Amino acid sequence: MRWALVRVCLAVTTMVVVAFAVPLGLVVKEMARDRALSNAEREAAVVVPALSITTDRDQLERVVASAGSDEGMAVHLPAGDGRTAVDLGRQRAADADIAAVRRLGRASTTEVPGGSALLQPVALGLGTVVIEVYVPESEVSNGVGTAWAVLAAVGAALVVGSVAVADRLGVRMVRPARRLVEGAQELGEGKLGARVPEEGPSELRLAAVAFNSMADQVVQLLANERELAADLSHRLRTPLTVLRLNAASLGDSPAAEQTRTAVAQLEREVDTIIRTAREAKPQTTAPGPGAGCDAAEVVRERMAFWSALAEDEGRKVRTAGVDRPVRVPVARTELAAALDALLGNVFRHTPEGTAFAVDVHNGEDAVIVLVSDAGPGILDPETAMARGRGAGTPGSTGLGLDIVRRLAESTGGDVRIGSSVLGGTEIRVWIQLAGTDPVRRGHRGSVRRRRRSALR
């Protein structure tokens, strides 16, 4: 907007300057010509008294020599009464032009080499005498160049001044608009305290008022949503208590112990949801040094949890890359929830006896978690990644992969679905390490090669 205003002002001012400067320059040129011709008329008027007194050639030559300079004047006497025509001084005008002036009796100007010639007729007793005064081109254009230079300088100064004024006015208009954009970006990044100063032109002030009102509404809606999530989660405590009591009476079998562990974990997750919904603030900055968890430890823990169910269903399980610590910039609970979502999908959407594997690859700039299976695969990966769409099977909400995607994208990474070497689906979770630039392309082949080497 700022530069658009400057360009418009530049175009308008330039047109105005041209519209006034060009005609004014032509007027200056014409005035210089009129001034030169007026001087020539005054020089011609000096000779007229001498012509009225005498027609002696010698005396007239002295008068012409004293009145003219550099042979710039000539006097043309007509023939008559036995006299021949006499031309005193240097003649530059054509004989036809001189004869026409003598015949018409009116002064005239004619073009001659190097300038112009003023032909002034004077009626005397012996006839009409024509006085020729030479006007050089340098006298006609004297001062015109300087005047044009002054006009050009004034025009340039006007253009520059108008651009400067338009720029200042543009800044006054653009600054509030830029603050509005910055406020919208901050609000989009989760900084719910972002507000815009209500200043500038009236339209931008109204926009700032509307933006601040919208931001207040967003904060209120999010607060209501967190309270609703906390209230709904709190309602789950009663049936969970019943499940916990029932699980306690199941005895000491492995299935009973697994049920009690699952109920305890579910109670912890519900408590976490309630506490997060009531107390957590939107995250607006990247995790600091030392934040996050050990991905290898989380994978080992979750695989130990799911291995009992895998053994009951006759599934072969394999893990790789979890023998050494692997730090990732995500919370432990979030990574565990993402792994549970991926492994839960394996048990939910593949037949019993289907093998699966979890591989962890620790790179310089990212950590890659691969969950692969030998199932039928996913026919439409894009639909599976869409939030709320799911795979189209009964019991699928479509939120599991969305949880994984949001976890990866919070670090600058991504999630991709492909075919695994086991013959089924491979879900690759790219977790960008803190302090490195996101790398979204060109890493698929290297991940595949590292995975195949790990399988050997």
Side-chain angles (χ1 to χ4, degrees):
M1 181 186 298
R2 175 182 177 183
W3 295 114
L5 291 175
V6 170
R7 287 194 294 268
V8 170
C9 186
L10 176 63
V12 173
T13 307
T14 301
M15 288 188 293
V16 171
V17 169
V18 170
F20 281 93
V22 172
L24 190 58
L26 296 177
V27 169
V28 169
K29 181 179 180 180
E30 190 64 26
M31 290 177 61
R33 178 180 177 83
D34 292 342
R35 182 180 64 250
L37 294 178
S38 297
N39 293 335
E41 290 177 355
R42 285 194 296 270
E43 292 180 5
V46 174
V47 183
V48 173
L51 290 174
S52 61
I53 295 173
T54 180
T55 58
D56 181 70
R57 182 185 183 91
D58 294 336
Q59 292 181 357
L60 290 177
E61 285 181 351
R62 287 194 296 271
V63 172
V64 170
S66 62
S69 59
D70 193 21
E71 298 183 352
M73 180 180 293
V75 177
H76 306 284
L77 301 175
D81 296 336
R83 300 188 311 273
T84 59
V86 178
D87 296 320
L88 303 177
R90 181 181 176 182
Q91 178 181 345
R92 290 179 173 83
D95 293 337
D97 294 332
I98 297 173
V101 170
R102 180 178 287 120
R103 183 178 63 256
L104 297 175
R106 293 196 304 269
S108 175
T109 303
T110 182
E111 299 294 330
V112 297
S116 303
L118 173 65
L119 301 178
Q120 180 68 44
V122 178
L124 299 176
L126 52 88
T128 302
V129 178
V130 178
I131 303 174
E132 177 185 346
V133 181
Y134 172 62
V135 182
E137 186 65 30
S138 58
E139 293 186 9
V140 174
S141 60
N142 184 24
V144 175
T146 302
W148 284 3
V150 172
L151 289 176
V154 172
L158 290 175
V159 171
V160 172
S162 65
V163 169
V165 172
D167 182 70
R168 291 299 91 194
L169 294 176
V171 169
R172 181 175 177 271
M173 297 180 61
V174 169
R175 186 180 292 114
R178 186 174 300 167
R179 290 176 179 172
L180 184 61
V181 172
E182 293 174 354
Q185 292 176 346
E186 292 178 358
L187 188 63
E189 293 172 357
K191 299 178 182 179
L192 301 182
R195 296 296 183 271
V196 178
E198 300 173 2
E199 59 184 19
S202 58
E203 293 81 2
L204 293 178
R205 286 200 302 271
L206 293 176
V209 171
F211 175 84
N212 293 336
S213 177
M214 178 195 67
D216 294 336
Q217 291 293 330
V218 169
V219 172
Q220 185 63 38
L221 290 174
L222 290 177
N224 295 338
E225 183 180 355
R226 288 196 297 269
E227 289 297 326
L228 179 60
D231 293 340
L232 293 177
S233 300
H234 193 273
R235 297 179 185 180
L236 295 176
R237 283 183 170 178
T238 299
L240 281 177
T241 302
V242 176
L243 287 176
R244 180 167 52 81
L245 295 175
N246 292 338
S249 62
L250 293 178
D252 297 331
S253 64
E257 182 63 27
Q258 181 179 1
T259 301
R260 284 190 288 269
T261 302
V263 171
Q265 181 185 359
L266 186 57
E267 287 182 332
R268 291 194 299 270
E269 292 296 338
V270 170
D271 291 339
T272 301
I273 292 175
I274 296 174
R275 184 170 56 254
T276 302
R278 293 189 182 277
E279 300 177 0
K281 300 297 182 181
Q283 182 178 351
T284 58
T285 58
C293 65
D294 182 1
E297 181 182 355
V298 175
V299 170
R300 290 196 302 267
E301 176 186 331
R302 301 321 301 158
M303 288 298 290
F305 173 80
W306 290 97
S307 60
L309 182 58
E311 183 178 356
D312 293 341
E313 295 186 358
R315 297 175 182 268
K316 293 183 179 180
V317 180
R318 182 187 58 79
T319 58
V322 295
D323 52 341
R324 292 181 299 176
V326 180
R327 299 293 303 181
V328 292
V330 295
R332 181 187 185 89
T333 56
E334 294 181 359
L335 181 58
L339 287 173
D340 287 341
L342 294 177
L343 296 175
N345 284 340
V346 173
F347 283 90
R348 187 178 300 110
H349 301 298
T350 60
E352 293 187 5
T354 302
F356 66 94
V358 178
D359 298 341
V360 179
H361 300 273
N362 188 9
E364 295 180 357
D365 58 349
V367 172
I368 303 173
V369 179
L370 297 175
V371 178
S372 54
D373 60 63
I378 297 178
L379 299 179
D380 191 355
E382 294 184 359
T383 301
M385 288 297 298
R387 176 177 173 84
R389 297 284 296 277
T393 58
S396 175
T397 63
L399 299 181
L401 289 179
D402 186 69
I403 293 174
V404 180
R405 178 185 59 80
R406 287 189 285 111
L407 170 72
E409 291 182 352
S410 66
T411 66
D414 60 11
V415 176
R416 294 185 184 181
I417 300 177
S419 300
S420 70
V421 295
L422 298 179
T425 302
E426 176 186 87
I427 299 179
R428 188 223 59 191
V429 184
W430 180 279
I431 301 175
Q432 192 72 28
L433 296 181
T436 60
D437 295 332
V439 180
R440 300 293 183 87
R441 300 178 181 177
H443 51 262
R444 179 68 180 176
S446 61
V447 172
R448 177 71 68 185
R449 287 193 294 271
R450 289 198 298 269
R451 188 177 186 280
R452 288 180 177 175
S453 62
L455 290 173
R456 296 193 187 99

